[in-house]
């Protein structure tokens, strides 16, 4: 009996013992084996161990349209730091830009406007001009978020604008009297935080805040739990309480504070829920922290320290093993493997003469985009790897 004539479940079991190199060589034996080895089911176990293949800890797939073998190819380049660097956009005035990536559309804020750019599927490059511009703020856009139907932005003018992504409808929400530093939105719920030391809760159907929580400190970051029952706030840490607190959405009660040994000024600049019980934070104290919300008391279970003692402005995770972070000096982007404490790879995007923070970063399966003060940088990881052909 030939190898490919074995029952499929037996053949899957045999192939589960092979690594990338062996699978690639086996696929070159004959046409039948090539077709079988290229199936996603053969590569799923290997893909779970690599960075940014789209397979999350829960087993969901972030990039179902891309074959797993192709993603494992690119994942090797993420691990080794092999990429091509491009600067798709530049501007003359120093800004504090923000990014969101939705499939093949990149949204970029520049001063008071947010531009939507198509990302070319063949090259990952942006079209030169945005196909749509969202405007309406009287000052710079501080943060914005995307939902399936809306783009919601907070500005230095204290306003929150809700743009429909399917029509020209624009709704203005007023309530903050200083700049809206941060906001998040899920399932019609909007949470906003401001320099005016308040957090406000909104709904898409109301023009006034549903509730207001006095924070007694500037609010730098917020994030709504995937369960929609709670949200997390990150403050400037200039008062005598923890900068990270979890709140009940309905009762508006503080459920708990995370951590107790933050030094004064260790503000939390970005918060990411990876699951209902896994929370990542970063900020001025130069650490990325992973909090396990299942434990009692809830506590930090892992820490990653920025080696050059730089503040961390932003983070993003792949839902499995990878974390990407943006530092405050020289446009440094770092890639971290959660299974290690040391930085895996780093990229310096600005020159020694012109230092800029990485204000925001977003990545897909093959590209990482980082917004600096005067340019948008792109890292393309689609190079030919060594082992997978």
């Amino acid at each position: 009996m030939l190898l490919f004539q074995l029952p499929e479940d037996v053949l899957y079991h045999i192939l589960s013992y092979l690594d990338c190199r062996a699978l690639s060589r086996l696929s070159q034996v004959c046409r039948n084996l090539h077709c079988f080895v290229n199936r996603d089911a053969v590569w799923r176990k290997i893909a779970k161990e690599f960075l940014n293949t789209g397979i999350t800890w829960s087993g969901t797939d972030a990039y179902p349209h891309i074959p797993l073998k192709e993603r494992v190819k690119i994942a090797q380049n993420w691990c080794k730091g092999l990429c091509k660097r491009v600067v798709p956009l530049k501007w003359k005035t120093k800004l504090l830009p923000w990014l969101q990536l939705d499939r093949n559309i990149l949204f970029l804020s520049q001063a008071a406007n947010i531009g939507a750019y198509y990302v070319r599927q063949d090259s990952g490059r942006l079209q030169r001009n945005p196909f749509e511009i969202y405007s309406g703020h009287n000052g710079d856009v501080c943060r914005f978020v995307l939902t399936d139907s809306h783009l919601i932005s907070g500005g230095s003018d204290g306003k929150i604008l809700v743009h429909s992504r399917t029509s020209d409808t624009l709704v203005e929400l007023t309530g903050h009297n200083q700049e809206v530093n941060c906001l998040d939105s899920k399932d019609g719920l909007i949470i906003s935080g401001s320099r005016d030391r308040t957090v406000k809760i909104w709904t898409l159907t109301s023009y006034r805040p549903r509730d207001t929580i006095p924070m007694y400190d500037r609010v730098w970051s917020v994030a709504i739990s995937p369960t929609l029952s709670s949200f997390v706030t990150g403050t400037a840490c200039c008062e005598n309480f923890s900068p990270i607190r979890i709140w009940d959405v309905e009762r508006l009660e503080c459920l708990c504070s995370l951590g107790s040994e933050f030094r004064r000024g260790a503000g939390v600049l970005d918060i990411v829920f990876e699951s209902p019980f896994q929370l990542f934070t970063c900020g001025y104290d130069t650490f990325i922290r992973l909090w396990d919300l299942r434990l009692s008391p809830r506590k930090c279970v892992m820490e990653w320290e920025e080696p050059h003692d730089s503040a961390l402005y932003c983070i993003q995770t792949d839902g499995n093993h990878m974390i990407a972070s943006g530092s405050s000096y020289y446009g440094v982007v770092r890639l971290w493997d959660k299974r290690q404490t040391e930085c895996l790879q780093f990229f310096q995007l600005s020159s020694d003469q012109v230092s800029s923070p990485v204000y925001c970063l977003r990545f897909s399966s093959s590209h990482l985009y980082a917004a600096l003060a005067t340019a948008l940088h792109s890292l393309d990881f689609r190079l030919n790897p060594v082992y997978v052909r």
Side-chain angles (χ1 to χ4, degrees):
M1 179 180 288
L2 299 176
L3 180 64
F4 62 83
Q5 292 176 325
L6 290 170
E8 286 195 354
D9 56 340
V10 176
L11 190 51
Y12 278 129
H13 184 71
I14 293 172
L15 299 187
S16 69
Y17 290 95
L18 303 185
D19 59 13
C20 294
R21 184 195 294 266
L23 284 174
S24 299
R25 288 177 173 175
L26 182 62
S27 70
Q28 298 174 23
V29 171
C30 66
R31 184 174 300 175
N32 288 331
L33 281 175
H34 177 81
C35 293
F36 191 91
V37 170
N38 282 355
R39 293 181 182 181
D40 280 0
V42 173
W43 290 89
R44 186 167 295 276
K45 180 180 177 181
I46 293 175
K48 289 180 179 179
E49 299 302 315
F50 275 91
L51 302 185
N52 196 30
T53 57
I55 305 299
T56 67
W57 66 269
S58 62
T60 60
D61 193 343
Y63 312 116
H65 59 288
I66 305 175
L68 270 178
K69 180 181 177 180
E70 183 66 26
R71 284 182 265 169
V72 171
K73 281 186 183 181
I74 300 171
Q76 293 181 75
N77 295 330
W78 285 88
C79 295
K80 298 173 184 177
L82 302 176
C83 64
K84 180 181 179 181
R85 305 188 187 192
V86 180
V87 182
L89 295 173
K90 290 184 178 181
W91 47 89
K92 296 181 179 179
T93 306
K94 287 188 176 182
L95 303 173
L96 279 73
W98 194 254
L99 291 175
Q100 295 291 354
L101 185 61
D102 184 18
R103 299 180 183 87
N104 66 328
I105 302 176
L106 183 77
F107 297 82
L108 170 67
S109 66
Q110 295 171 279
N113 297 323
I114 302 169
Y117 297 83
Y118 281 121
V119 179
R120 300 180 189 274
Q121 294 297 305
D122 55 343
S123 64
R125 292 178 178 269
L126 271 64
Q127 289 190 340
R128 183 178 299 272
N129 298 313
F131 70 88
E132 190 164 1
I133 295 177
Y134 300 88
S135 59
H137 284 285
N138 297 324
D140 289 355
V141 173
C142 299
R143 292 285 176 96
F144 67 92
V145 295
L146 296 175
T147 68
D148 291 338
S149 55
H150 294 86
L151 183 151
I152 306 166
S153 60
S156 60
D157 54 5
K159 295 190 298 185
I160 297 172
L161 299 183
V162 181
H163 298 267
S164 171
R165 295 179 61 182
T166 57
S167 66
D168 295 331
T169 306
L170 172 63
V171 176
E172 180 180 317
L173 309 180
T174 57
H176 290 291
N177 54 38
Q178 293 189 48
E179 61 198 61
V180 180
N181 293 320
C182 53
L183 52 82
D184 195 11
S185 178
K186 285 184 176 68
D187 199 27
L189 177 69
I190 303 172
I191 308 290
S192 63
S194 171
R195 184 181 285 269
D196 66 10
R197 303 186 174 199
T198 65
V199 164
K200 295 185 183 293
I201 296 92
W202 317 72
T203 62
L204 288 175
T205 57
S206 65
Y207 293 87
R208 295 290 177 185
R210 191 192 78 185
D211 294 290
T212 299
I213 304 175
M215 299 295 293
Y216 309 106
D217 203 352
R218 289 166 294 172
V219 185
W220 290 133
S221 53
V222 297
I224 302 173
S225 168
T227 64
L228 304 178
S229 61
S230 62
F231 64 93
V232 181
T233 58
T235 58
C237 199
C238 294
E239 303 298 333
N240 295 322
F241 48 75
S242 170
I244 309 172
R245 286 180 284 176
I246 302 178
W247 302 83
D248 186 275
V249 168
E250 295 301 327
R251 294 176 296 171
L252 304 182
E253 295 177 355
C254 180
L255 300 176
C256 68
S257 298
L258 301 183
S260 59
E261 299 181 357
F262 291 91
R263 67 175 185 265
R264 184 178 176 83
V268 176
L269 296 175
D270 202 5
I271 301 173
V272 175
F273 269 103
E274 192 170 78
S275 74
F277 54 84
Q278 288 183 312
L279 181 73
F280 287 86
T281 62
C282 70
Y284 285 116
D285 67 347
T286 76
F287 281 91
I288 302 170
R289 289 185 170 89
L290 169 60
W291 305 86
D292 193 328
L293 306 184
R294 295 170 296 183
L295 302 177
S296 181
R298 299 170 176 89
K299 64 179 182 179
C300 177
V301 293
M302 284 287 289
E303 290 182 343
W304 298 269
E305 183 177 9
E306 215 289 330
H308 294 161
D309 201 33
S310 301
L312 295 173
Y313 275 52
C314 55
I315 51 176
Q316 188 183 357
T317 77
D318 69 346
N320 194 16
H321 298 305
M322 191 180 82
I323 308 170
S325 65
S327 304
S328 58
Y329 295 116
Y330 305 113
V332 172
V333 170
R334 295 188 185 274
L335 302 183
W336 308 80
D337 189 328
K338 296 177 191 174
R339 298 163 292 188
Q340 306 172 17
T341 55
E342 301 296 324
C343 171
L344 182 66
Q345 299 292 342
F346 84 96
F347 311 90
Q348 182 177 324
L349 302 182
S350 65
S351 65
D352 294 338
Q353 293 76 25
V354 184
S355 176
S356 168
V358 178
Y359 289 109
C360 186
L361 58 81
R362 294 289 183 265
F363 57 78
S364 64
S365 64
S366 58
H367 289 76
L368 185 146
Y369 301 94
L372 278 64
T374 58
L376 174 70
H377 293 253
S378 170
L379 304 180
D380 184 353
F381 290 87
R382 295 178 308 166
L383 304 176
N384 288 327
V386 177
Y387 298 128
V388 182
R389 298 295 181 185

